[in-house]
mmCIF file with all atom_site columns, all heavy atoms in Angstrom:
data_model
loop_
_atom_site.group_PDB
_atom_site.id
_atom_site.type_symbol
_atom_site.label_atom_id
_atom_site.label_alt_id
_atom_site.label_comp_id
_atom_site.label_asym_id
_atom_site.label_entity_id
_atom_site.label_seq_id
_atom_site.pdbx_PDB_ins_code
_atom_site.Cartn_x
_atom_site.Cartn_y
_atom_site.Cartn_z
_atom_site.occupancy
_atom_site.B_iso_or_equiv
_atom_site.pdbx_formal_charge
_atom_site.auth_seq_id
_atom_site.auth_comp_id
_atom_site.auth_asym_id
_atom_site.auth_atom_id
_atom_site.pdbx_PDB_model_num
ATOM 1  N N   . HIS U 1 19  ? -111.528 -146.701 92.258  1.00 0.00 ? 19  HIS U N   1
ATOM 2  C CA  . HIS U 1 19  ? -112.817 -147.232 92.689  1.00 0.00 ? 19  HIS U CA  1
ATOM 3  C C   . HIS U 1 19  ? -112.861 -148.730 92.814  1.00 0.00 ? 19  HIS U C   1
ATOM 4  O O   . HIS U 1 19  ? -113.907 -149.341 92.727  1.00 0.00 ? 19  HIS U O   1
ATOM 5  C CB  . HIS U 1 19  ? -113.932 -146.741 91.770  1.00 0.00 ? 19  HIS U CB  1
ATOM 6  C CG  . HIS U 1 19  ? -114.003 -145.261 91.781  1.00 0.00 ? 19  HIS U CG  1
ATOM 7  N ND1 . HIS U 1 19  ? -114.495 -144.582 92.849  1.00 0.00 ? 19  HIS U ND1 1
ATOM 8  C CD2 . HIS U 1 19  ? -113.587 -144.352 90.883  1.00 0.00 ? 19  HIS U CD2 1
ATOM 9  C CE1 . HIS U 1 19  ? -114.403 -143.287 92.609  1.00 0.00 ? 19  HIS U CE1 1
ATOM 10 N NE2 . HIS U 1 19  ? -113.847 -143.123 91.424  1.00 0.00 ? 19  HIS U NE2 1
ATOM 11 N N   . ARG U 1 20  ? -111.701 -149.303 92.980  1.00 0.00 ? 20  ARG U N   1
ATOM 12 C CA  . ARG U 1 20  ? -111.660 -150.735 93.248  1.00 0.00 ? 20  ARG U CA  1
ATOM 13 C C   . ARG U 1 20  ? -110.823 -150.933 94.500  1.00 0.00 ? 20  ARG U C   1
ATOM 14 O O   . ARG U 1 20  ? -110.174 -151.960 94.649  1.00 0.00 ? 20  ARG U O   1
ATOM 15 C CB  . ARG U 1 20  ? -111.056 -151.476 92.050  1.00 0.00 ? 20  ARG U CB  1
ATOM 16 C CG  . ARG U 1 20  ? -111.976 -151.561 90.856  1.00 0.00 ? 20  ARG U CG  1
ATOM 17 C CD  . ARG U 1 20  ? -113.205 -152.347 91.203  1.00 0.00 ? 20  ARG U CD  1
ATOM 18 N NE  . ARG U 1 20  ? -114.041 -152.652 90.064  1.00 0.00 ? 20  ARG U NE  1
ATOM 19 C CZ  . ARG U 1 20  ? -115.367 -152.577 90.084  1.00 0.00 ? 20  ARG U CZ  1
ATOM 20 N NH1 . ARG U 1 20  ? -115.991 -152.136 91.156  1.00 0.00 ? 20  ARG U NH1 1
ATOM 21 N NH2 . ARG U 1 20  ? -116.070 -152.918 89.028  1.00 0.00 ? 20  ARG U NH2 1
ATOM 22 N N   . ASP U 1 21  ? -110.857 -149.934 95.382  1.00 0.00 ? 21  ASP U N   1
ATOM 23 C CA  . ASP U 1 21  ? -110.043 -149.983 96.595  1.00 0.00 ? 21  ASP U CA  1
ATOM 24 C C   . ASP U 1 21  ? -110.238 -151.287 97.349  1.00 0.00 ? 21  ASP U C   1
ATOM 25 O O   . ASP U 1 21  ? -109.279 -151.963 97.701  1.00 0.00 ? 21  ASP U O   1
ATOM 26 C CB  . ASP U 1 21  ? -110.392 -148.807 97.519  1.00 0.00 ? 21  ASP U CB  1
ATOM 27 C CG  . ASP U 1 21  ? -109.687 -147.544 97.071  1.00 0.00 ? 21  ASP U CG  1
ATOM 28 O OD1 . ASP U 1 21  ? -108.861 -147.647 96.137  1.00 0.00 ? 21  ASP U OD1 1
ATOM 29 O OD2 . ASP U 1 21  ? -109.960 -146.484 97.648  1.00 0.00 ? 21  ASP U OD2 1
ATOM 30 N N   . ALA U 1 22  ? -111.502 -151.619 97.584  1.00 0.00 ? 22  ALA U N   1
ATOM 31 C CA  . ALA U 1 22  ? -111.803 -152.809 98.369  1.00 0.00 ? 22  ALA U CA  1
ATOM 32 C C   . ALA U 1 22  ? -111.198 -154.042 97.698  1.00 0.00 ? 22  ALA U C   1
ATOM 33 O O   . ALA U 1 22  ? -110.499 -154.834 98.338  1.00 0.00 ? 22  ALA U O   1
ATOM 34 C CB  . ALA U 1 22  ? -113.305 -152.981 98.523  1.00 0.00 ? 22  ALA U CB  1
ATOM 35 N N   . GLU U 1 23  ? -111.442 -154.164 96.396  1.00 0.00 ? 23  GLU U N   1
ATOM 36 C CA  . GLU U 1 23  ? -110.949 -155.331 95.662  1.00 0.00 ? 23  GLU U CA  1
ATOM 37 C C   . GLU U 1 23  ? -109.427 -155.350 95.599  1.00 0.00 ? 23  GLU U C   1
ATOM 38 O O   . GLU U 1 23  ? -108.794 -156.386 95.799  1.00 0.00 ? 23  GLU U O   1
ATOM 39 C CB  . GLU U 1 23  ? -111.533 -155.346 94.239  1.00 0.00 ? 23  GLU U CB  1
ATOM 40 C CG  . GLU U 1 23  ? -113.029 -155.593 94.161  1.00 0.00 ? 23  GLU U CG  1
ATOM 41 C CD  . GLU U 1 23  ? -113.859 -154.330 94.321  1.00 0.00 ? 23  GLU U CD  1
ATOM 42 O OE1 . GLU U 1 23  ? -113.289 -153.287 94.736  1.00 0.00 ? 23  GLU U OE1 1
ATOM 43 O OE2 . GLU U 1 23  ? -115.077 -154.380 94.056  1.00 0.00 ? 23  GLU U OE2 1
ATOM 44 N N   . VAL U 1 24  ? -108.862 -154.159 95.330  1.00 0.00 ? 24  VAL U N   1
ATOM 45 C CA  . VAL U 1 24  ? -107.398 -154.060 95.244  1.00 0.00 ? 24  VAL U CA  1
ATOM 46 C C   . VAL U 1 24  ? -106.761 -154.420 96.582  1.00 0.00 ? 24  VAL U C   1
ATOM 47 O O   . VAL U 1 24  ? -105.823 -155.220 96.645  1.00 0.00 ? 24  VAL U O   1
ATOM 48 C CB  . VAL U 1 24  ? -106.962 -152.640 94.806  1.00 0.00 ? 24  VAL U CB  1
ATOM 49 C CG1 . VAL U 1 24  ? -105.462 -152.463 94.982  1.00 0.00 ? 24  VAL U CG1 1
ATOM 50 C CG2 . VAL U 1 24  ? -107.363 -152.410 93.359  1.00 0.00 ? 24  VAL U CG2 1
ATOM 51 N N   . ASN U 1 25  ? -107.305 -153.856 97.643  1.00 0.00 ? 25  ASN U N   1
ATOM 52 C CA  . ASN U 1 25  ? -106.734 -154.127 98.962  1.00 0.00 ? 25  ASN U CA  1
ATOM 53 C C   . ASN U 1 25  ? -106.855 -155.595 99.332  1.00 0.00 ? 25  ASN U C   1
ATOM 54 O O   . ASN U 1 25  ? -105.933 -156.189 99.895  1.00 0.00 ? 25  ASN U O   1
ATOM 55 C CB  . ASN U 1 25  ? -107.427 -153.272 100.027 1.00 0.00 ? 25  ASN U CB  1
ATOM 56 C CG  . ASN U 1 25  ? -107.040 -151.810 99.895  1.00 0.00 ? 25  ASN U CG  1
ATOM 57 O OD1 . ASN U 1 25  ? -105.995 -151.488 99.330  1.00 0.00 ? 25  ASN U OD1 1
ATOM 58 N ND2 . ASN U 1 25  ? -107.890 -150.924 100.394 1.00 0.00 ? 25  ASN U ND2 1
ATOM 59 N N   . TYR U 1 26  ? -107.993 -156.162 99.005  1.00 0.00 ? 26  TYR U N   1
ATOM 60 C CA  . TYR U 1 26  ? -108.214 -157.560 99.342  1.00 0.00 ? 26  TYR U CA  1
ATOM 61 C C   . TYR U 1 26  ? -107.251 -158.467 98.579  1.00 0.00 ? 26  TYR U C   1
ATOM 62 O O   . TYR U 1 26  ? -106.537 -159.281 99.171  1.00 0.00 ? 26  TYR U O   1
ATOM 63 C CB  . TYR U 1 26  ? -109.669 -157.933 99.051  1.00 0.00 ? 26  TYR U CB  1
ATOM 64 C CG  . TYR U 1 26  ? -110.045 -159.312 99.536  1.00 0.00 ? 26  TYR U CG  1
ATOM 65 C CD1 . TYR U 1 26  ? -109.423 -159.875 100.649 1.00 0.00 ? 26  TYR U CD1 1
ATOM 66 C CD2 . TYR U 1 26  ? -111.023 -160.047 98.887  1.00 0.00 ? 26  TYR U CD2 1
ATOM 67 C CE1 . TYR U 1 26  ? -109.768 -161.134 101.094 1.00 0.00 ? 26  TYR U CE1 1
ATOM 68 C CE2 . TYR U 1 26  ? -111.379 -161.315 99.330  1.00 0.00 ? 26  TYR U CE2 1
ATOM 69 C CZ  . TYR U 1 26  ? -110.739 -161.851 100.436 1.00 0.00 ? 26  TYR U CZ  1
ATOM 70 O OH  . TYR U 1 26  ? -111.080 -163.102 100.865 1.00 0.00 ? 26  TYR U OH  1
ATOM 71 N N   . LEU U 1 27  ? -107.216 -158.276 97.269  1.00 0.00 ? 27  LEU U N   1
ATOM 72 C CA  . LEU U 1 27  ? -106.314 -159.107 96.462  1.00 0.00 ? 27  LEU U CA  1
ATOM 73 C C   . LEU U 1 27  ? -104.873 -158.886 96.890  1.00 0.00 ? 27  LEU U C   1
ATOM 74 O O   . LEU U 1 27  ? -104.083 -159.819 96.980  1.00 0.00 ? 27  LEU U O   1
ATOM 75 C CB  . LEU U 1 27  ? -106.490 -158.788 94.971  1.00 0.00 ? 27  LEU U CB  1
ATOM 76 C CG  . LEU U 1 27  ? -105.631 -159.615 94.009  1.00 0.00 ? 27  LEU U CG  1
ATOM 77 C CD1 . LEU U 1 27  ? -105.882 -161.107 94.190  1.00 0.00 ? 27  LEU U CD1 1
ATOM 78 C CD2 . LEU U 1 27  ? -105.899 -159.225 92.556  1.00 0.00 ? 27  LEU U CD2 1
ATOM 79 N N   . SER U 1 28  ? -104.558 -157.640 97.197  1.00 0.00 ? 28  SER U N   1
ATOM 80 C CA  . SER U 1 28  ? -103.216 -157.303 97.631  1.00 0.00 ? 28  SER U CA  1
ATOM 81 C C   . SER U 1 28  ? -102.851 -158.053 98.907  1.00 0.00 ? 28  SER U C   1
ATOM 82 O O   . SER U 1 28  ? -101.738 -158.570 99.051  1.00 0.00 ? 28  SER U O   1
ATOM 83 C CB  . SER U 1 28  ? -103.132 -155.791 97.838  1.00 0.00 ? 28  SER U CB  1
ATOM 84 O OG  . SER U 1 28  ? -101.877 -155.447 98.344  1.00 0.00 ? 28  SER U OG  1
ATOM 85 N N   . ILE U 1 178 ? -113.115 -163.130 94.762  1.00 0.00 ? 178 ILE U N   1
ATOM 86 C CA  . ILE U 1 178 ? -113.323 -161.686 94.785  1.00 0.00 ? 178 ILE U CA  1
ATOM 87 C C   . ILE U 1 178 ? -114.298 -161.318 93.672  1.00 0.00 ? 178 ILE U C   1
ATOM 88 O O   . ILE U 1 178 ? -114.017 -161.532 92.494  1.00 0.00 ? 178 ILE U O   1
ATOM 89 C CB  . ILE U 1 178 ? -112.001 -160.927 94.613  1.00 0.00 ? 178 ILE U CB  1
ATOM 90 C CG1 . ILE U 1 178 ? -110.987 -161.422 95.654  1.00 0.00 ? 178 ILE U CG1 1
ATOM 91 C CG2 . ILE U 1 178 ? -112.231 -159.434 94.745  1.00 0.00 ? 178 ILE U CG2 1
ATOM 92 C CD1 . ILE U 1 178 ? -109.622 -160.804 95.536  1.00 0.00 ? 178 ILE U CD1 1
#
Side-chain angles (χ1 to χ4, degrees):
Chain U
H19 300 287
R20 287 297 189 222
D21 279 354
E23 292 85 347
V24 169
N25 289 337
Y26 188 30
L27 182 57
S28 176
I178 307 177

